[in-house]
Amino acid sequence: MSNVFRGVREGRPYAIKMMRADPKRHDVDAALRFRREAAAIARLDHPGLVKVVEVGESQGQPFLVMELVEGESLERRLQRGPLSEPELLTVAKSVSTALSEVHRHGLVHRDLKPANIILLPSGAAKVIDFGFVGHVDERSEDAESEVIGTFLYSAPEQTGMLKRKVDSRADIYALGAILYECATGAPPFKAQNLAELLHMHAAIRPPDAHQVNPAVRPILALILTKLMAKDPDDRYQTCAGLLADLDNLSELETAQKFGRQLTLGSRDGALFGGFEVPLVGRATELQSLGKCWAQARAGQGAMIQMEGEGGSGKTRLVRELIRVARAEGGLVLSGKAQQGERTPFGPLREAIDGYLAQIMKLPQEQQGPSLQRIKAAAGDFGGIVKRLSRSLETLFAEARDLPPLD
């Protein structure tokens, strides 16, 4: 959708990205996507990300002026074979820290692949091309609108094979697929057609990287497997959790060799960071929600439906209410209804699984009381409740199965 030129200003080279002008048609979606990319990356400032110098429009065509990234694409480097472990770890840490900044702003890259990673002469890497960037609260783009190469690295929820929200964990899956190729010299899956490839990403476990390439340490192979878990809840939840394990490889390897308990992702933090644009112009609506929250605290529960055009700020208003509720000690569970969802209670499942995942990250002495409260709330219906999700099935493993109801 764009052309990239090399330009010079005051003796310094820059990359100038201009949207392609097509006189035969006026592509509104492409223009909006280009401007969304500009708005997204203009506020990102990190050495692992391309820096935007200027955003503007020339003869009706939007453009971006960015720093010129000199180096070799990871795609071209992989044509010469797999990376050594020091090279792989450098790329993994560079890309992870860059993605942390992207995710901290509530954004998802959605098109992470070797062609969009540039290796600098120092060995570090930069992430480029945010043409498909989106906010975690947006519905993902139709997967079929993306180029076929993207599917080699796309998470199953991003391609629509798994009816789950597309958030930063989709980028983490893509990073895992890229690092797998860096370690073994080939993508995790190869198929004769697109349908087979999507099925493999959704249902087939990739071959163990250590078995494919014995030079890959078993502990590193385990990390790659966790990165590419089918269920987003089973992956690393944040790049911070991945970075902590990469920095702790020796200790993890020792634990693995001697059969000690090995927990990957133990230092995963909150899914999204604290960056938030201040809420303005919604005082009346926020006051109404505040009254409803006060009633809820008094034991008068209610269901609230919020309506508005796309982009009018519904989700942002909800996030403000959540912030207030949590500050006052409220418990917030959140799940999202997906269009075309066929699994019953999908949003409820997502909400409860997310809550249980938070509990399991607490110290052992704090987990017990919380889990006991959940079991007490289920009462005699544990046998039914455990059918709702995998996490509840584990929690209520000892509950007796109840016969089907009429």
Side-chain angles (χ1 to χ4, degrees):
M1 73 176 183
S2 60
N3 293 316
V4 182
F5 302 91
R6 182 189 182 102
V8 178
R9 175 189 288 171
E10 298 178 355
R12 185 172 179 178
Y14 293 94
I16 306 169
K17 185 172 186 176
M18 295 195 69
M19 183 176 161
R20 263 186 208 146
D22 188 346
K24 296 181 180 179
R25 65 189 179 104
H26 181 59
D27 195 336
V28 177
D29 289 341
L32 288 174
R33 191 160 63 236
F34 191 96
R35 287 181 170 84
R36 179 170 60 185
E37 175 186 12
I41 63 177
R43 68 188 191 193
L44 300 175
D45 186 11
H46 189 276
L49 301 171
V50 62
K51 187 173 181 62
V52 173
V53 178
E54 186 178 328
V55 178
E57 191 172 286
S58 175
Q59 297 179 352
Q61 295 302 118
F63 68 83
L64 286 170
V65 180
M66 304 172 288
E67 66 170 316
L68 182 66
V69 182
E70 305 271 18
E72 180 182 36
S73 73
L74 181 58
E75 180 181 49
R76 181 171 294 181
R77 166 61 185 85
L78 287 171
Q79 293 174 1
R80 303 196 296 273
L83 276 60
S84 66
E85 182 174 299
E87 289 178 309
L88 185 150
L89 291 177
T90 299
V91 170
K93 292 178 181 180
S94 296
V95 176
S96 294
T97 53
L99 286 178
S100 289
E101 178 68 8
V102 175
H103 298 161
R104 187 177 73 86
H105 284 74
L107 300 173
V108 188
H109 188 284
R110 295 199 299 197
D111 195 26
L112 203 62
K113 54 188 176 183
N116 287 341
I117 297 174
I118 302 297
L119 303 179
L120 306 177
S122 64
K126 273 185 181 282
V127 178
I128 64 170
D129 199 342
F130 283 73
F132 287 98
V133 69
H135 196 277
V136 292
D137 294 316
E138 292 176 338
R139 180 175 169 268
S140 64
E141 299 286 345
D142 181 1
E144 293 183 359
S145 68
E146 299 181 34
V147 296
I148 191 72
T150 301
F151 290 113
L152 285 172
Y153 312 97
S154 290
E157 68 269 21
Q158 186 170 330
T159 61
M161 296 296 288
L162 179 66
K163 296 297 182 184
R164 294 291 298 275
K165 177 180 180 180
V166 177
D167 54 34
S168 59
R169 294 172 294 183
D171 284 346
I172 290 174
Y173 181 98
L175 176 58
I178 292 168
L179 295 178
Y180 184 96
E181 184 172 357
C182 290
T184 65
F189 302 111
K190 290 183 178 179
Q192 297 298 318
N193 55 63
L194 177 59
E196 181 184 359
L197 178 63
L198 298 185
H199 170 74
M200 295 175 79
H201 273 293
I204 306 298
R205 186 170 180 169
D208 185 276
H210 174 67
Q211 295 180 3
V212 176
N213 179 8
V216 179
R217 284 194 276 173
I219 185 62
L220 197 52
L222 276 179
I223 289 175
L224 294 175
T225 298
K226 183 174 179 64
L227 283 167
M228 290 186 289
K230 309 303 179 186
D231 191 324
D233 294 340
D234 295 332
R235 296 174 206 151
Y236 284 96
Q237 300 299 288
T238 63
C239 288
L242 170 62
L243 285 165
D245 283 354
L246 293 177
D247 289 336
N248 202 32
L249 270 183
S250 297
E251 292 183 23
L252 291 173
E253 186 176 39
T254 301
Q256 184 186 39
K257 285 181 178 178
F258 289 96
R260 297 202 295 266
Q261 183 177 357
L262 184 65
T263 304
L264 298 179
S266 61
R267 300 183 191 177
D268 257 326
L271 188 55
F272 302 111
F275 178 86
E276 187 70 279
V277 176
L279 180 66
V280 294
R282 287 289 182 268
T284 302
E285 293 90 341
L286 192 59
Q287 185 178 21
S288 298
L289 290 175
K291 291 179 180 178
C292 294
W293 165 237
Q295 293 174 2
R297 295 196 68 186
Q300 303 172 24
M303 173 76 75
I304 301 172
Q305 178 170 309
M306 194 179 301
E307 296 182 351
E309 295 181 358
S312 60
K314 300 184 299 295
T315 305
R316 177 64 184 86
L317 186 58
V318 169
R319 286 207 299 269
E320 187 68 17
L321 175 63
I322 289 173
R323 185 189 65 78
V324 172
R326 284 178 173 157
E328 297 180 0
L331 172 62
V332 179
L333 308 185
S334 61
K336 187 169 184 178
Q338 304 287 350
Q339 187 172 2
E341 175 72 71
R342 295 184 179 181
T343 304
F345 306 113
L348 185 59
R349 170 192 182 277
E350 182 180 336
I352 294 176
D353 281 354
Y355 177 51
L356 286 172
Q358 293 177 32
I359 291 177
M360 299 312 293
K361 293 175 185 175
L362 296 173
Q364 196 69 34
E365 62 274 11
Q366 296 181 27
Q367 287 183 20
S370 297
L371 296 178
Q372 286 303 319
R373 281 198 296 271
I374 296 174
K375 290 181 178 180
D380 296 332
F381 294 97
I384 291 180
V385 170
K386 71 178 185 180
R387 299 179 187 175
L388 183 62
S389 73
R390 185 187 304 175
S391 61
L392 287 172
E393 183 180 16
T394 302
L395 180 60
F396 291 97
E398 299 178 358
R400 181 174 57 87
D401 288 333
L402 297 181
L405 300 176
D406 291 337

